[in-house]
Amino acid sequence: MTNPTAMQVPPREGDPEITPETVADHGLTPEEYEKVLKIMGRDPTFTELGVFSAMWSEHCGYKNSKRLLRLLPTQAPWVIQGPGENAGVIDVGDGYALAFKIESHNHPSAVEPYQGAATGVGGILRDIFTMGARPVAVLDSLRFGDLDNGRVRYLFSGVVNGVGDYGNCVGIPNVGGEVQFDRGYEGNPIVNAMCLGLMRHEELITAAATGNGAPLMAVGARTGRDGIHGATFASEELSEDSDESSRPQVQVGDPFTEKLLLEASLELIASGAISGIQDMGAAGITSSASEMAGRGGSGVELEMTAVPVREEGMTPYEILLSESQERMLVVAHPGREDEVREILEKWELEAAVIGQVTDDGKFRILEDGNVVGDIPALPLTDGCPTYEREGIESGEVIALREMDLTEHMTAEGDLTKDFLLLLRSPNVASKRWIYEQYDTTVRTGTAVRPGGDSGVIRIRGTSRAIAATTDCNGRLVYLEPRTGAMAAVAEAARNLVCVGALPTAITNNLNFGNPLKTHIYYQLREAVLGMREACSAFETPVTGGNVSLFNETDGKAIYPTPVIGMVGVIDDVSKIIRHAFNTPGDDIVLLGTNSGELGGSEYLYATSKLVAGHPPSVDLEAERLLQQAVLKMNHEEVLNSAHDCSEGGLAATLAECALGNGETPLGVTVEVDEDLAPIVSLFGESHGRIIVSTSPENTERVLALAALYDVPAKRIGTVTEMASGFSIKVRSGSVQASMTDLAEAYFGSLPNIMDAPTDSEA
Amino acid sequence: MKVAVITFPGSNCDYDLFKAAQQVGGDAKFIWHRERGLENYDAVLLPGGFSYGDYLRAGAIARMSPIMEDVIAFAKTGRPVLGICNGFQILCESGLLPGALMHNISLKFESKDVMLRVDRTDTMFTKDYKTGQVLRIPIAHGEGNYGADNETLKALEDQGRVVFRYVDRDGELSDEANPNGSWNNIAGITNATGNVLGMMPHPERAMEKLLGSTDGLALFTSMVGSMQPS
């Protein structure tokens, strides 16, 4: 099947004529359109143009990121399925495999936060169960502007509500995630959802269309007019008027149907009646059918009048590009269509044969038997033009990075007041307001709930568990993309070892601005390179992910935010550790050192709204040794708790350890003697640091193991009773507060902001 | 001991309940809502979730499922029927229990551990607890605010049919300890004959130390211990 050519297809009656304007409206450049003409050997019909537009959008075609993504490490002995499928799959032991992936729904959420976020969760669940895995956990990684803005509060509460309602209804526990508030995200919130699913190795199924004549079936919800061109919309910048005019491009989710579809799909896969299954996600039937044909090296023929629709009079163009939710495309084994229908009927859903697999390498569209589209399938999926662009760092960022922070580092003031201000910052304060709206315990597998370093789900019937985290501090990536991306990977790995999990693999979500701008492309390239270095150093290959570009409003881009979703494996659930101090009298040991930076810190933002300076440097070898040391200590069971040191620095981290979940806070007495200004000692955010607590009789062993791995370690204080309060002394200053004050600041902040009467702005 | 776990379209705690029943030695079976016949079972469990998406009103459509006729007949035989979360909502909608579950007073979904006080230990669901015992059990619901007319509430209280109440860690009733606004901090009630229990918290999620609490275990051991083998 080499280069089949398109057959002649007359224009469909009633379809618009194709002009340079129509082409531009479909997001294709004149050069890209030339390529379409070359592939087709003739002018495309309007239907065909819509198909190219969707498949060659950034969202489906990765045209500005593909060449960079190829640089990422994707191989390891435990990787069963790398990038290119619905989700990555790794071996997690005892015959189990873990499917996992992260995906963005930024653009829809900026316009309609509730539905945008809800359908984001729906989409990522489908990516997991179409691999044959049962979803067992979701995480959400969110970014918003500052909460003093009424519209931001509306977006934030709508997104949390949408993430919660969808996952709660389907019954998948939310086990973690993160959120950052910074005016850098004011116009463009980020909504990334990650899902993990478990299966036995033999249950894995892929999304390839093979077998000439095999029936293609649409299963699940009917196709409507919602979300048409969502993929193209997601690949454009937003403007002030995006709000109203873009609402029709946002899909509407129905988690109840999703739950039925989940059960029906897993039953279908188990029945053996099908050979392939794929979500009709972005670009709907078009992408699912053409990608399945592409993977199978086959062709497909689809009859539009056979597609179950919600309303009369839908054109082939609309049916092909609809992004109605909760639909699947299935390749059935010939003769077993009725079995498929019966399973769907049991779950009160529909299944209809809408076409077949062919061997002519074409993506062919029929309407009542008449050909209305005929496109060579492989060039459609693999021929999408890819670009490598020029990347030049923005002078503005260089200036911010080189800013002299001495004045901030040596500021004289009330350190305790600064500390409480930091604890109240929504970026540091407890996120309980969010995750108490998420069901975290359904499916009775959640061993570590949100609020700790990583979420942990046990694998029933084994001694194992899987841990997952999402991380990225966009400020650091903004200031120095390569370092910031490495930092995101390093932090994710630290978060995993802090629950006792071995970092194993990652999925990533590259959220960036418009890559056609040189300074954005610079960020993208540098971030990918940083990620590559870190993933190689930690042996955590990338098994898939998502790219969301054009996150700009009125020309202003978000901070570059390559979110890392990392998973790890715990061999023995009895060795899971948590972040909270739990025993008065325990020694507190700091692993790692403060390298004296304040750049990009939450302290600077909370006190001066400043994002500037050199972000803390990342020493990948030191990070790797730190991870190994903590895992070894945990293996020897000499740790009573472990917590990664990140936003808010040492002081905020110790506060989190002391407060735990708020039920049984303990006091802390710590003294740190560093040759640094007190602000830097307390609030600096050097990487590579973990705070552990240990019974005094084990302290020597902890220090000895640290030395064995070349990890700097120091006993810095003691866990005390709550009544003794919170005290950190640094070389020339101190922080002193009661645990009640700490708890009020840390737990009270988000509820005070979100549940207080809102102003008229909202 | 044969235990039927009824699955409605949208149930999502059916698997957890199934595992909980197995853990205490029950011979658990899933019963799809369109199936019929519960005569041969010793207990019937209605799981949590979002039956029919909880569209219209939580539990309002599920009560019309074919199996509910059988559940009502089963309840009349005096054998145990336990409804948790959405299961409680369905029991109220079907008339097996009085009252209704309204939107949480916060108007938000509430998911966290709560403290429950066991007020009655002479039921087939609580005989393995001590009176006044305080339990840690997770909740996860948007519509768990129990209410009824004054006469019904008075009858419930007078007849001692309130089995569980939301309390603080010391076992005291307070508004802060009440996660959803339920009247009299009611978390779980029985019917007049004591064989039908509805509760919003999820004891099936509190069966293992690894998951945070084992305080739900005694509810299932009580139930299995009271069951007459059929």
Side-chain angles (χ1 to χ4, degrees):
Chain A
M1 254 173 347
T2 50
N3 297 328
T5 48
M7 65 185 281
Q8 290 303 318
V9 177
R12 184 179 169 279
E13 204 177 319
D15 276 352
E17 204 183 320
I18 294 180
T19 63
E21 288 74 38
T22 353
V23 172
D25 284 349
H26 280 77
L28 294 173
T29 64
E31 296 74 35
E32 287 164 355
Y33 187 63
E34 280 302 315
K35 200 165 174 197
V36 170
L37 292 177
K38 209 171 146 214
I39 288 168
M40 297 296 292
R42 60 169 168 81
D43 286 346
T45 64
F46 185 66
T47 307
E48 291 165 342
L49 179 66
V51 167
F52 273 104
S53 158
M55 292 307 295
W56 287 11
S57 68
E58 182 62 40
H59 197 85
C60 293
Y62 297 98
K63 54 188 172 191
N64 291 295
S65 52
K66 204 176 221 165
R67 295 193 189 188
L68 293 174
L69 294 174
R70 286 199 190 114
L71 300 172
L72 293 170
T74 59
Q75 303 288 320
W78 51 89
V79 173
I80 297 172
Q81 177 65 59
E85 262 290 343
N86 287 325
V89 181
I90 57 166
D91 177 28
V92 289
D94 290 335
Y96 281 92
L98 175 73
F100 68 105
K101 193 184 175 189
I102 194 166
E103 195 159 87
S104 66
H105 244 211
N106 304 341
H107 282 69
S109 303
V111 175
E112 216 299 293
Y114 179 86
Q115 289 296 346
T119 52
V121 174
I124 197 63
L125 293 179
R126 290 192 295 280
D127 278 342
I128 298 306
F129 65 76
T130 49
M131 299 302 292
R134 178 172 283 279
V136 294
V138 294
L139 297 91
D140 54 331
S141 176
L142 312 174
R143 303 290 182 279
F144 301 93
D146 282 332
L147 287 173
D148 55 10
N149 176 310
R151 179 162 170 84
V152 172
R153 288 198 300 275
Y154 157 75
L155 291 174
F156 173 47
S157 65
V159 164
V160 169
N161 201 359
V163 168
D165 277 4
Y166 206 101
N168 296 344
C169 185
V170 182
I172 315 298
N174 189 306
V175 302
E178 17 100 55
V179 60
Q180 192 174 33
F181 304 93
D182 187 299
R183 65 190 163 188
Y185 298 101
E186 191 158 300
N188 289 78
I190 288 187
V191 178
N192 292 175
M194 175 172 168
C195 181
L196 286 73
L198 277 172
M199 64 186 136
R200 306 287 307 170
H201 279 222
E202 60 275 15
E203 290 167 332
L204 177 68
I205 184 169
T206 55
T210 51
N212 190 21
L216 288 165
M217 300 180 79
V219 309
R222 293 180 155 235
T223 298
R225 284 193 163 107
D226 51 333
I228 291 174
H229 272 312
T232 315
F233 162 60
S235 306
E236 285 167 359
E237 290 183 35
L238 297 177
S239 65
E240 234 170 54
D241 54 348
S242 294
D243 213 29
E244 292 303 321
S245 64
S246 302
R247 285 240 166 101
Q249 287 165 7
V250 179
Q251 314 84 339
V252 178
D254 173 6
F256 170 57
T257 302
E258 176 99 344
K259 167 68 175 165
L260 300 178
L261 190 58
L262 188 172
E263 299 300 338
S265 299
L266 292 178
E267 201 169 317
L268 265 185
I269 293 165
S271 74
I274 64 170
S275 63
I277 180 167
Q278 179 159 347
D279 174 34
M280 294 190 201
I285 296 180
T286 295
S287 69
S288 52
S290 61
E291 286 173 12
M292 286 179 88
R295 290 193 200 103
S298 57
V300 290
E301 184 174 86
L302 300 166
E303 171 55 68
M304 293 296 100
T305 56
V307 178
V309 288
R310 285 185 196 154
E311 47 189 314
E312 291 299 304
M314 286 182 69
T315 64
Y317 180 97
E318 289 171 322
I319 292 170
L320 284 168
L321 297 178
S322 161
E323 293 190 8
S324 290
Q325 297 287 292
E326 292 94 21
R327 298 178 301 156
M328 293 282 184
L329 187 67
V330 160
V331 185
H333 288 299
R336 299 184 72 173
E337 297 89 328
D338 282 344
E339 244 178 286
V340 173
R341 279 194 200 94
E342 274 161 31
I343 290 171
L344 269 292
E345 266 163 30
K346 173 190 163 186
W347 293 101
E348 311 194 354
L349 295 167
E350 281 184 294
V353 174
I354 63 164
Q356 58 174 339
V357 179
T358 63
D359 61 1
D360 64 1
K362 297 285 200 61
F363 180 78
R364 187 178 306 112
I365 310 301
L366 309 178
E367 186 184 28
D368 220 2
N370 301 315
V371 177
V372 294
D374 186 75
I375 306 173
L378 206 58
L380 176 63
T381 51
D382 289 11
C384 173
T386 60
Y387 302 103
E388 195 158 338
R389 301 186 184 277
E390 194 184 11
I392 303 168
E393 187 167 28
S394 130
E396 197 184 328
V397 173
I398 297 174
L400 281 173
R401 186 172 62 231
E402 299 305 329
M403 187 184 282
D404 181 7
L405 299 177
T406 314
E407 178 196 339
H408 295 276
M409 290 164 125
T410 57
E412 306 255 326
D414 184 338
L415 291 171
T416 300
K417 213 171 124 195
D418 285 349
F419 171 59
L420 291 173
L421 175 80
L422 257 182
L423 280 192
R424 261 186 218 104
S425 157
N427 290 323
V428 174
S430 166
K431 309 301 185 288
R432 206 154 68 176
W433 186 88
I434 303 173
Y435 58 77
E436 282 189 352
Q437 298 185 55
Y438 300 158
D439 194 337
T440 59
T441 50
V442 63
R443 293 196 51 73
T444 53
T446 312
V448 179
R449 302 181 194 179
D453 289 76
S454 297
V456 178
I457 295 282
R458 60 93 175 264
I459 306 176
R460 203 187 271 276
T462 75
S463 65
R464 292 170 193 272
I466 46 175
T469 177
T470 65
D471 291 286
C472 180
N473 185 338
R475 288 173 190 155
L476 308 183
V477 188
Y478 174 68
L479 290 170
E480 203 167 66
R482 192 180 295 216
T483 310
M486 288 197 291
V489 181
E491 184 181 351
R494 289 198 304 273
N495 280 330
L496 289 178
V497 299
C498 282
V499 296
L502 175 71
T504 308
I506 76 165
T507 174
N508 60 16
N509 207 132
L510 305 178
N511 306 277
F512 285 77
N514 179 348
L516 308 182
K517 298 176 182 170
T518 52
H519 68 282
I520 302 288
Y521 195 80
Y522 172 84
Q523 295 172 341
L524 184 60
R525 188 183 65 207
E526 286 292 304
V528 168
L529 291 174
M531 203 180 293
R532 174 168 81 160
E533 271 183 66
C535 288
S536 303
F538 303 159
E539 291 181 275
T540 49
V542 180
T543 63
N546 177 249
V547 177
S548 172
L549 304 179
F550 302 95
N551 289 287
E552 302 200 3
T553 296
D554 298 327
K556 192 179 175 320
I558 56 162
Y559 292 144
T561 312
V563 173
I564 303 297
M566 191 181 282
V567 295
V569 178
I570 296 169
D571 287 337
D572 179 354
V573 291
S574 72
K575 290 186 180 169
I576 293 170
I577 35 172
R578 293 170 171 80
H579 77 283
F581 292 150
N582 41 53
T583 316
D586 273 3
D587 281 338
I588 300 170
V589 174
L590 171 63
L591 305 174
T593 44
N594 189 333
S595 39
E597 304 98 334
L598 198 62
S601 64
E602 179 59 27
Y603 172 84
L604 281 182
Y605 193 77
T607 56
S608 319
K609 290 271 166 199
L610 191 61
V611 175
H614 281 271
S617 58
V618 179
D619 180 339
L620 292 175
E621 180 58 12
E623 292 277 356
R624 202 176 61 84
L625 291 168
L626 174 70
Q627 294 163 22
Q628 290 176 352
V630 172
L631 288 174
K632 176 71 176 160
M633 290 170 193
N634 189 47
H635 183 71
E636 291 197 6
E637 299 184 81
V638 291
L639 299 182
N640 289 344
S641 72
H643 191 26
D644 169 45
C645 192
S646 58
E647 279 92 340
L650 179 76
T653 306
L654 281 167
E656 288 167 355
C657 295
L659 288 165
N661 69 1
E663 283 185 44
T664 48
L666 293 174
V668 159
T669 304
V670 157
E671 191 168 346
V672 179
D673 184 35
E674 293 164 334
D675 188 17
L676 296 168
I679 285 171
V680 179
S681 244
L682 290 165
F683 310 128
E685 296 177 11
S686 289
H687 303 298
R689 293 185 297 167
I690 287 175
I691 288 175
V692 299
S693 65
T694 175
S695 307
E697 69 268 22
N698 288 327
T699 306
E700 278 314 309
R701 185 62 188 152
V702 168
L703 295 174
L705 283 172
L708 188 65
Y709 286 90
D710 260 339
V711 173
K714 218 181 321 174
R715 181 187 167 276
I716 58 169
T718 313
V719 178
T720 63
E721 298 289 348
M722 175 183 171
S724 309
F726 187 87
S727 160
I728 309 177
K729 284 202 179 78
V730 290
R731 187 166 282 187
S732 51
S734 72
V735 160
Q736 313 275 351
S738 73
M739 292 312 296
T740 321
D741 287 349
L742 248 65
E744 186 280 319
Y746 183 73
F747 292 112
S749 181
L750 267 187
N752 284 343
I753 295 168
M754 295 307 296
D755 297 337
T758 51
D759 59 29
S760 55
E761 243 186 311
Chain B
M1 299 293 164
K2 294 179 73 179
V3 180
V5 177
I6 314 288
T7 303
F8 299 93
S11 294
N12 64 28
C13 304
D14 45 342
Y15 173 78
D16 302 345
L17 214 39
F18 180 90
K19 286 289 175 189
Q22 274 190 337
Q23 193 181 330
V24 294
D27 174 13
K29 290 271 180 325
F30 289 114
I31 303 289
W32 182 237
H33 75 123
R34 279 195 231 146
E35 292 175 43
R36 297 300 298 260
L38 296 169
E39 305 81 39
N40 298 326
Y41 288 89
D42 303 306
V44 169
L45 312 183
L46 304 186
F50 289 74
S51 56
Y52 292 96
D54 278 355
Y55 299 141
L56 186 60
R57 198 171 61 240
I61 304 178
R63 79 168 177 89
M64 294 186 266
S65 281
I67 194 70
M68 283 311 293
E69 269 180 45
D70 295 349
V71 174
I72 291 167
F74 184 90
K76 283 189 184 140
T77 67
R79 284 173 282 182
V81 175
L82 168 63
I84 296 169
C85 199
N86 197 225
F88 185 14
Q89 294 160 343
I90 296 168
L91 288 174
C92 289
E93 288 288 337
S94 68
L96 280 172
L97 290 174
L101 293 146
M102 301 169 288
H103 280 285
N104 296 345
I105 203 162
S106 64
L107 298 180
K108 289 198 299 251
F109 192 90
E110 298 282 351
S111 164
K112 57 186 170 191
D113 282 355
V114 295
M115 296 296 160
L116 294 186
R117 191 179 69 203
V118 185
D119 277 9
R120 295 298 299 255
T121 51
D122 53 352
T123 78
M124 52 174 72
F125 305 97
T126 52
K127 66 183 184 60
D128 291 349
Y129 289 112
K130 294 190 199 72
T131 305
Q133 192 176 339
V134 176
L135 317 177
R136 169 188 287 270
I137 308 274
I139 57 162
H141 60 249
E143 296 172 49
N145 179 358
Y146 183 79
D149 59 74
N150 288 335
E151 206 176 313
T152 306
L153 278 175
K154 188 170 180 309
L156 282 175
E157 295 290 5
D158 289 351
Q159 296 165 21
R161 287 161 56 191
V162 178
V163 178
F164 299 113
R165 288 182 213 270
Y166 301 109
V167 292
D168 63 20
R169 285 151 59 94
D170 301 321
E172 301 299 323
L173 298 179
S174 72
D175 286 347
E176 291 72 41
N178 184 342
N180 51 32
S182 287
W183 293 7
N184 296 355
N185 285 42
I186 290 173
I189 56 168
T190 64
N191 62 348
T193 46
N195 67 311
V196 177
L197 171 68
M199 62 189 298
M200 287 313 294
H202 287 278
E204 81 279 18
R205 301 187 189 181
M207 305 280 286
E208 286 173 80
K209 193 165 169 282
L210 176 67
L211 308 183
S213 171
T214 53
D215 291 349
L217 196 53
L219 188 141
F220 291 91
T221 57
S222 299
M223 190 178 70
V224 167
S226 342
M227 275 155 40
Q228 302 298 318
S230 58

